[in-house]
Amino acid sequence: MTVAAGIGYALLALGPSLSLFVSVISKKPFLILTVLSSTLVWLISLIILSGIWRGFLPLKSTTWWPFAILIFSSVAFQEGLRLLFWKVYKRLEDILDAFADRVSKPRLYLTDKMQIALAGGLGHGVAHAVFFCLSLLTPAFGPATYFVDSCSQMPFFLVSALIALAFVTVHTFSMVIAFNGYAEGNKVDQVFVPSVHLAAGMMLYMKLVQLVPFFVSLMPFCKRFQMILTRLSVLFPDFDKFCLWWLHYWDSSSILDGNLDLDALWEDGAEKAN
Amino acid sequence: MESSILESIGQEIIGVMSPVSICMLLVVLLVYSLSSSNPFSSAPIRTAANLVYLENPSDSAGQKLEGALLNALVFVILIAIVTFVLVVLYYYNFTNFLKNYMRFSAFFVLGTMGGSIFLSIIQQFSIPIDSITCFLLLFNFTVVGVLSMFSGGMPIVLRQAYMVSLGIIVATWFTKLPEWTTWALLVALALYDLVAVLAPGGPLKLLVELASSRDEELPALVYEARPTLSRNEGNRRSNLGLLVGGVSDSRSVELQAVSNGNVHGDGSQNGRTSEYSAVEVRSLENVEGERSRDEGERSPLVVHSRERYSSDSNSSDYSTVIRTRESEIVVDEEMSPLVDMLGMDNEREQVRRDDTGNAVIASRGIKLGLGDFVFYSVLVGRAAMYDLMTVYACYLAIISGLGCTLILLSVCRRALPALPISITLGVIFYFLTRLLMEPFVVGTATNLMMF
């Protein structure tokens, strides 16, 4: 059960992005490079943030405002980084177009641009999942599990895997939406993306319900679902199936919650805590 | 829909990055599965890398640092001496001795180091296997490895797989070094690499220049990401589901692979024959034989082109050209008008050809020394002993460093050291992650704060 549980948590967090990677990204070397570089950018941003906040750790969990400031500043920093990413991407697009002209190939299609945005977003999302979920998952491969105080119903690993799944979705698609918004000068989209990001972080902070970020993460789908679907389905006909599958995946993850014997887990954890 | 530009850019970079990633991944898995409960690995080993000082957990930090630096210094001096001896031997044309020495060392490494790693894997997972079977399997593995690395006629995929596995074995061995020594060693090797490749009179620089002036292959273990492999590897990857090469537009890819394959196949075949110039004619026939055998597998369009092509080259090049590089260049020139001719048939092929021509290194394939594989993996393996987080950070740092090196390669168009940028970034990211990021991430994540 132990190794299986660890792999299961990992797949829960990264399964959809893995299939996205295999089905879309990995066919085009340039997109792989985009994913890698955007993961690196996110890692660097995380290191800078942790360097700034290192002096104030560990935060007392009794007072509320340090965490709020932390989340707010982090989200603001990362959204600023997204703007920077957009600027770099603009320059890159010109270079690519010039190169395409030189080798007498067609310039970038709209779908190509969206794929680059998707790859960039996937890089951000994967980096989030890797650093906030996967790297903490090592103990899950062992015989024990771990519960945190704020959520005594589910093992910490399951919670973090589900949250990571939500954030992968948010990051992946908000990059597409943001780039689209920047390109078209659409103010609503430009504001929408940071607010979703902030809302997701804040809802987690306020611990309204653990599943709230899931609704947040569905919002990119609902909001621009039509847009993304119509644009992307030109290039990969399977994409709508993929999205449906993804939704189904959400569904089954909540089924998984239902199947968990929470009482037994709770007693188990209580025994271990004692 | 016409293939977009995204499919062709960066293929060479991915061709080098994917084996490096595979190597690192496997080393991390090995380190993870073996280091957990293996009493054998905890015992310190004596190698050339810790001749002076054997690290003790109870020693003070200053003592450890001093000892680690001494170890690294001694190891680098040893490596420098060995490289100089290699250069001297190569300079005085002891090529056969070098070749046999390399065969022996590869055999030795695969047999003993690989064998001991296999033994510990068997112990760890308690695989039921008797000693005779194990010995037979190991012997076969080793012999096929040596044959595939040093003689022609083997599929390039096998050769690359053995290169990677050699890197994995050596890297896993190196991860058994004590911690401080490893870090000092990595930094020292990066510095040494910088000096040896770039400084005038550096041994590796001498070696590369000597090899290119003699038009021979480097007498060293080098991973070649030839463009030939874009077809093979593409297929293999698609089986694995981890596609790298652009395989969606299979026809044009096939042609690219074939046209490059001709050049490189012939180049390397000739390279081997020019060393044994007595049998040259016969092995040229071999080459031709191989070609005709291969032709059965190609699509009609490509066979057509190949026939024209090989008749051309038969008449002009092969009767006269002996040396490797010359033949390669001649064939290259011979190829381009042909491809242009084909290009009239199909625009796309010509574009592809242009693509590979524009990427500077593409026409000869990127070569990465096996040492780079080993020390990248050592860094990642050492990071794996701390935490997974450091592994990811180091992996990203190393890969981006490798990318920078490759970009520099296409700018400078000369042999470059692959270690310094990657190792520097890797070490910096390791300590940043360990000191800054981990407490932060663990602190926020255990409070279920994420963003």
Side-chain angles (χ1 to χ4, degrees):
Chain A
M1 182 57 198
T2 52
V3 176
I7 293 173
Y9 293 139
L11 281 182
L12 197 61
L14 280 175
S17 22
L18 187 70
S19 55
L20 196 60
F21 183 83
V22 170
S23 62
V24 181
I25 307 286
S26 61
K27 295 191 180 76
K28 305 190 173 176
F30 186 78
L31 294 183
I32 304 181
L33 295 181
T34 314
V35 170
L36 283 175
S37 47
S38 117
T39 316
L40 188 77
V41 166
W42 206 88
L43 169 68
I44 291 172
S45 85
L46 194 61
I47 287 181
I48 291 173
L49 276 175
S50 55
I52 293 170
W53 280 92
R54 182 74 179 90
F56 306 101
L57 287 177
L59 294 174
K60 285 190 210 74
S61 46
T62 47
T63 48
W64 62 273
W65 51 269
F67 281 117
I69 295 175
L70 189 149
I71 286 184
F72 185 77
S73 64
S74 311
V75 170
F77 185 75
Q78 287 183 346
E79 291 302 325
L81 210 65
R82 199 196 297 280
L83 268 175
L84 195 72
F85 205 74
W86 165 251
K87 294 263 164 58
V88 173
Y89 162 74
K90 261 325 247 192
R91 195 166 297 169
L92 189 76
E93 199 183 304
D94 293 341
I95 295 173
L96 282 180
D97 274 340
F99 185 73
D101 285 346
R102 212 174 61 205
V103 299
S104 63
K105 275 205 157 193
R107 287 174 162 235
L108 292 180
Y109 300 110
L110 182 62
T111 42
D112 287 336
K113 294 176 187 172
M114 297 191 76
Q115 277 188 338
I116 294 178
L118 189 77
L122 189 70
H124 274 39
V126 165
H128 173 96
V130 158
F131 287 105
F132 277 108
C133 168
L134 219 58
S135 54
L136 304 175
L137 219 56
T138 332
F141 287 91
T145 189
Y146 173 66
F147 289 84
V148 286
D149 293 335
S150 49
C151 176
S152 49
Q153 305 292 311
M154 280 194 259
F156 167 71
F157 305 117
L158 182 58
V159 178
S160 70
L162 289 175
I163 294 176
L165 175 58
F167 271 100
V168 169
T169 319
V170 169
H171 281 302
T172 306
F173 290 102
S174 60
M175 189 69 95
V176 181
I177 295 171
F179 274 25
N180 197 53
Y182 293 139
E184 291 175 358
N186 187 342
K187 288 283 177 213
V188 180
D189 281 352
Q190 293 177 15
V191 178
F192 179 73
V193 167
S195 48
V196 164
H197 193 178
L198 191 64
M202 280 302 174
M203 290 211 180
L204 260 187
Y205 163 69
M206 286 185 272
K207 302 188 183 62
L208 288 177
V209 191
Q210 290 302 346
L211 291 185
V212 164
F214 295 82
F215 296 112
V216 174
S217 73
L218 284 180
M219 281 164 67
F221 271 129
C222 306
K223 172 84 173 39
R224 302 303 279 183
F225 191 66
Q226 203 61 43
M227 181 270 289
I228 294 172
L229 199 63
T230 46
R231 299 267 170 86
L232 289 187
S233 60
V234 180
L235 197 62
F236 16 98
D238 287 345
F239 193 79
D240 45 350
K241 259 183 271 167
F242 182 76
C243 286
L244 286 180
W245 177 80
W246 196 317
L247 290 173
H248 178 74
Y249 193 84
W250 281 111
D251 223 26
S252 57
S253 65
S254 52
I255 290 171
L256 177 74
D257 295 349
N259 285 342
L260 279 177
D261 190 354
L262 293 182
D263 293 334
L265 277 176
W266 166 240
E267 279 164 19
D268 198 32
E271 265 171 35
K272 275 177 190 125
N274 296 332
Chain B
M1 179 182 281
E2 203 163 354
S3 70
S4 80
I5 195 173
L6 295 184
E7 284 173 22
S8 48
I9 294 182
Q11 226 160 1
E12 297 84 20
I13 297 184
I14 293 296
V16 175
M17 277 180 182
S18 51
V20 172
S21 310
I22 293 172
C23 187
M24 288 198 253
L25 174 75
L26 289 176
V27 168
V28 167
L29 283 182
L30 266 181
V31 167
Y32 250 106
S33 53
L34 292 187
S35 71
S36 54
S37 60
N38 201 348
F40 155 75
S41 69
S42 60
I45 49 162
R46 272 267 174 207
T47 57
N50 52 355
L51 277 178
V52 187
Y53 164 75
L54 206 56
E55 198 170 307
N56 241 329
S58 54
D59 287 350
S60 71
Q63 242 173 333
K64 279 184 187 171
L65 185 66
E66 196 183 333
L69 287 179
L70 273 178
N71 275 340
L73 192 68
V74 169
F75 189 66
V76 165
I77 289 174
L78 271 180
I79 283 199
I81 290 172
V82 169
T83 321
F84 266 115
V85 169
L86 203 75
V87 172
V88 168
L89 285 178
Y90 189 63
Y91 186 76
Y92 290 106
N93 272 329
F94 286 102
T95 326
N96 268 336
F97 170 76
L98 281 179
K99 290 219 165 270
N100 284 321
Y101 166 71
M102 267 158 47
R103 275 174 203 145
F104 169 73
S105 61
F107 183 84
F108 188 75
V109 167
L110 283 174
T112 57
M113 290 179 167
S116 96
I117 288 172
F118 288 142
L119 275 187
S120 47
I121 290 176
I122 289 171
Q123 278 175 356
Q124 178 75 22
F125 297 103
S126 37
I127 301 167
I129 188 169
D130 62 299
S131 53
I132 298 168
T133 320
C134 183
F135 178 75
L136 268 180
L137 285 180
L138 184 65
F139 188 74
N140 275 310
F141 170 78
T142 314
V143 168
V144 172
V146 173
L147 283 181
S148 70
M149 272 187 276
F150 297 106
S151 55
M154 291 281 184
I156 181 103
V157 177
L158 194 69
R159 187 184 157 125
Q160 287 169 335
Y162 267 105
M163 281 294 174
V164 171
S165 60
L166 199 64
I168 292 169
I169 289 169
V170 178
T172 315
W173 201 257
F174 266 107
T175 52
K176 289 175 184 168
L177 290 176
E179 188 173 5
W180 289 67
T181 308
T182 313
W183 293 117
L185 198 67
L186 283 174
V187 174
L189 275 170
L191 290 178
Y192 165 75
D193 201 20
L194 196 64
V195 172
V197 178
L198 290 182
L204 289 177
K205 186 183 167 78
L206 286 180
L207 200 64
V208 169
E209 279 171 358
L210 213 56
S212 69
S213 71
R214 287 187 196 176
D215 300 330
E216 287 173 14
E217 287 184 21
L218 265 184
L221 291 169
V222 171
Y223 180 90
E224 291 173 64
R226 297 186 199 169
T228 326
L229 107 168
S230 72
R231 179 189 40 154
N232 296 334
E233 203 163 56
N235 286 344
R236 188 165 56 107
R237 286 294 139 68
S238 67
N239 289 340
L240 284 174
L242 288 164
L243 307 197
V244 173
V247 272
S248 58
D249 199 354
S250 62
R251 195 164 50 142
S252 54
V253 170
E254 185 89 350
L255 183 80
Q256 179 202 13
V258 168
S259 52
N260 279 321
N262 270 333
V263 180
H264 293 286
D266 294 346
S268 58
Q269 289 284 354
N270 274 3
R272 261 159 225 129
T273 50
S274 65
E275 284 158 18
Y276 314 109
S277 51
V279 288
E280 180 170 273
V281 181
R282 204 174 44 138
S283 72
L284 274 180
E285 283 166 9
N286 274 348
V287 174
E288 293 305 316
E290 254 181 34
R291 291 159 149 253
S292 54
R293 186 168 52 81
D294 278 355
E295 266 163 19
E297 301 167 9
R298 317 280 165 165
S299 58
L301 171 73
V302 180
V303 169
H304 182 54
S305 73
R306 279 176 67 100
E307 273 164 5
R308 262 194 273 170
Y309 167 64
S310 56
S311 62
D312 278 355
S313 52
N314 263 339
S315 55
S316 57
D317 313 332
Y318 284 110
S319 47
T320 51
V321 176
I322 299 172
R323 306 311 292 260
T324 335
R325 255 329 112 74
E326 282 169 353
S327 82
E328 195 171 319
I329 291 164
V330 173
V331 174
D332 218 346
E333 285 165 0
E334 196 69 32
M335 188 184 68
S336 33
L338 175 83
V339 178
D340 282 350
M341 226 173 349
L342 272 175
M344 282 187 277
D345 295 341
N346 191 338
E347 213 177 15
R348 241 177 294 163
E349 269 83 357
Q350 198 206 335
V351 171
R352 284 211 166 257
R353 164 78 188 91
D354 278 356
D355 268 354
T356 51
N358 277 334
V360 188
I361 350 108
S363 59
R364 275 159 63 185
I366 299 172
K367 294 182 180 177
L368 190 63
L370 202 63
D372 304 325
F373 271 76
V374 170
F375 291 107
Y376 293 162
S377 308
V378 169
L379 208 165
V380 175
R382 175 42 70 178
M385 289 181 193
Y386 184 68
D387 191 20
L388 268 182
M389 206 177 292
T390 49
V391 173
Y392 302 129
C394 286
Y395 168 75
L396 283 176
I398 286 175
I399 283 292
S400 63
L402 185 60
C404 290
T405 313
L406 291 179
I407 290 168
L408 276 182
L409 189 69
S410 68
V411 174
C412 296
R413 303 178 184 226
R414 47 175 295 193
L416 283 180
L419 280 182
I421 302 178
S422 292
I423 293 290
T424 316
L425 281 179
V427 172
I428 290 174
F429 270 66
Y430 175 83
F431 285 106
L432 280 180
T433 309
R434 184 169 171 171
L435 298 176
L436 292 181
M437 207 175 88
E438 214 205 358
F440 177 75
V441 168
V442 171
T444 51
T446 46
N447 280 310
L448 291 181
M449 298 282 157
M450 295 176 196
F451 44 85

